[in-house]
Amino acid sequence: MPADYTSFAYLGERYTPVELDTEFDRAKPYDLGLSPEQAERTERFLRENLIVNLHEHPQIYPRDIDQAPAYARSGREHLAYRALAASGVDAIFDNMMGPTGCVASHHGWKWDDVVHDVGMRLADVAHQDHVRIARSVSDILDCRANGRIALVLAIEAATPIENELDRLDLLYGFGVRQLGLVYNGANQIGGGLAEDRDGGLTRFGRRVVDRMNRLGLSIDLSHAGDRTSLDAIEASGAPVMITHAGARAVWPTERMKPDVVLRALAESGGLLGVEAAPHSTVSRAHPRHSIESVMDHFAYCVDLMGIDHVTFGPDTLFGDHVGVHRVFASLFGAGDGSAPPRDPDPLTKIGVENPVPERVEYCAGMENPGESLRNAVAWLVKHGYGDEEIAKVTGGNVLRVLRRSWREPAR
């Protein structure tokens, strides 16, 4: 267990303008109904196997979520060190402020804000010894071997590079190892999932894909449009990822991915992380969002893509996640997952009319990064998955893709 470090403690004061939410027990613990034997097997599996969380925002938000914009503009978001230490996770992809990064701008995705965000995270992590920045597969494995947590820096949109390819090199040099091409709205690279029309990967976008392949920078297509996703999968010489999404055949919204994209992703060796942000991966069988509806997407995608191409990217945080979407609505540029897609055809194909999920305050069983992967392992144990299968979907599949897309440092 690490020392009781809190973010920016090196300043000698609590450097935040607001009261932060709790890292633990914000929501009622989810009862999966495990037998004593299943509970013991879950804990043993977590101890003995590498656990990788492919997509999170592991910072703590204000208790009063209406203060979140002021908190974001302060430029110092606190990492939940204690909760991560108790999570059972060995490596976590940290997407930091993401679209809420608005230190200098009210509209997000500005280069200066992204660099500020990355630099502050690096400065904070450098002042403790339990969480370490991972820049290679070797770093991830070394962290596990030494009882540390590997933090992989990720950014959800390449929008801040504008038309400057060399900014990809700069981000890589800063330690970023995963980058989304597009975030909902279109940019110079391609079309976003929120646009009425997706023109696909641009000529500049193909140069971006090529440069990312050469650098060893993972490509994320979670917020890209369908045509752009298919183009990027075809253009990339390395397997790509959709780090946090689900299946449109299970819940027909723009935020989910159609079978054609999911199949292409698997056929190219890529990887899907199933997400759990509130009101996203709901299902007809479980319209009230919980780990059960998340696992409906998981099971469907495993059947469609194969178990070697699915993992978990919960996309959660510490605080009022529904409130975050409310107060930053203008920055997300798309619905929260509750609205049907603009193209009604998927609805017709699966016989769904005007699907509306039950509104919830959080996704029960996957409320935050401290519990998401632990409960995923427990659910898989309860439902009879073998250790080899669980090991693939909670870490092994991620390592396979990273070994084909990252660069190992010279020794």
Side-chain angles (χ1 to χ4, degrees), residues 114-129:
V114 168
V115 171
H116 181 109
D117 191 19
V118 171
M120 281 296 180
R121 185 69 96 225
L122 291 173
D124 188 33
V125 170
H127 285 83
Q128 51 76 62
D129 192 43

Side-chain angles (χ1 to χ4, degrees), residues 89-318:
V89 170
D90 298 297
I92 185 166
F93 281 66
D94 176 11
N95 287 263
M96 299 172 285
M97 289 186 180
T100 70
C102 48
V103 181
S105 165
H106 291 285
H107 304 288
W109 298 126
K110 300 299 187 291
W111 175 253
D112 287 353
D113 285 349
V114 168
V115 171
H116 181 109
D117 191 19
V118 171
M120 281 296 180
R121 185 69 96 225
L122 291 173
D124 188 33
V125 170
H127 285 83
Q128 51 76 62
D129 192 43
H130 187 66
V131 174
R132 295 182 178 176
I133 302 298
R135 296 173 172 84
S136 65
V137 171
S138 296
D139 285 348
I140 292 174
L141 298 178
D142 286 348
C143 282
R144 172 167 172 77
N146 291 290
R148 303 293 191 266
I149 294 174
L151 199 71
V152 180
L153 299 184
I155 299 171
E156 291 193 59
T159 304
I161 74 166
E162 299 176 314
N163 63 344
E164 301 286 351
L165 273 180
D166 286 349
R167 285 185 176 178
L168 294 169
D169 302 61
L170 292 174
L171 291 175
Y172 187 88
F174 297 152
V176 174
R177 288 297 180 270
Q178 186 181 87
L179 186 65
L181 295 186
V182 183
Y183 190 88
N184 294 346
N187 59 20
Q188 294 196 65
I189 295 166
L193 59 82
E195 299 291 351
D196 292 327
R197 296 176 181 82
D198 175 10
L201 201 65
T202 65
R203 290 184 179 181
F204 178 71
R206 294 180 185 279
R207 296 174 65 197
V208 168
V209 168
D210 179 70
R211 179 67 66 88
M212 290 176 70
N213 285 168
R214 291 173 183 273
L215 281 167
L217 188 56
S218 291
I219 294 171
D220 179 15
L221 301 173
S222 298
H223 290 271
D226 298 342
R227 180 73 261 162
T228 294
S229 296
L230 290 169
D231 288 350
I233 290 168
E234 181 181 13
S236 180
V240 305
M241 300 184 189
I242 297 173
T243 66
H244 56 299
R248 198 173 295 171
V250 177
W251 193 252
T253 67
E254 63 188 7
R255 187 64 185 82
M256 303 294 101
K257 301 299 181 181
D259 285 2
V260 64
V261 170
L262 297 176
R263 287 197 190 98
L265 183 70
E267 290 168 1
S268 67
L271 185 63
L272 169 74
V274 180
E275 81 159 298
H279 308 127
S280 60
T281 43
V282 291
S283 68
R284 286 169 289 170
H286 298 97
R288 183 174 179 81
H289 204 194
S290 71
I291 192 172
E292 301 301 332
S293 48
V294 172
M295 290 305 186
D296 287 340
H297 285 262
F298 169 81
Y300 179 88
C301 292
V302 167
D303 287 343
L304 179 72
M305 305 170 67
I307 200 165
D308 292 326
H309 302 285
V310 184
T311 186
F312 296 97
D315 189 25
T316 63
L317 48 82
F318 293 94

Side-chain angles (χ1 to χ4, degrees), residues 368-406:
N368 65 69
E371 72 171 21
S372 56
L373 266 291
R374 180 179 293 277
N375 283 349
V377 170
W379 190 98
L380 294 166
V381 166
K382 179 181 178 181
H383 287 80
Y385 287 78
D387 281 7
E388 183 177 348
E389 294 174 303
I390 301 174
K392 285 184 176 183
V393 301
T394 58
N397 291 343
V398 177
L399 286 192
R400 174 185 59 80
V401 173
L402 295 184
R403 286 187 170 115
R404 292 185 59 191
S405 54
W406 281 8

